[in-house]
Amino acid sequence: MRDDLVLIARFRKPHGLKGEIGIESFTGDDRRFDQLHNILIKSKDGQISEAEIQGVHYVHKGILLKIKGFDSL
């Protein structure tokens, strides 16, 4: 595991049918996701991969991300 990474969110669950996923933000300013183009995702087994963010939606229950390559979950 890399020591220079900072956890800013955790995936929660899929939302809808278009591949969006809800996240739980650990930041003080959720609007920071508007500025992100790529993220690093750490799997349960510790593998780290890069993913491209295609969209961010703010809803009453939190934040939804659309990640390239995830067209349905």
Side-chain angles (χ1 to χ4, degrees), residues 6-61:
V6 176
L7 180 66
I8 62 169
R10 174 176 54 181
F11 288 128
R12 295 183 64 171
K13 62 181 183 175
H15 177 82
L17 301 173
K18 297 182 181 178
E20 292 180 313
I21 188 162
I23 63 167
E24 177 182 1
S25 173
F26 300 133
T27 71
D29 180 10
D30 289 343
R31 291 291 173 179
R32 79 176 325 163
F33 293 95
D34 291 332
Q35 306 302 316
L36 295 178
H37 301 286
N38 293 294
I39 57 173
L40 296 176
I41 300 172
K42 181 180 167 189
S43 66
K44 289 183 179 184
D45 66 0
Q47 297 294 317
I48 296 175
S49 58
E50 187 171 359
E52 180 182 336
I53 296 176
Q54 290 185 310
V56 179
H57 291 99
Y58 298 92
V59 294
H60 69 281
K61 291 187 177 183

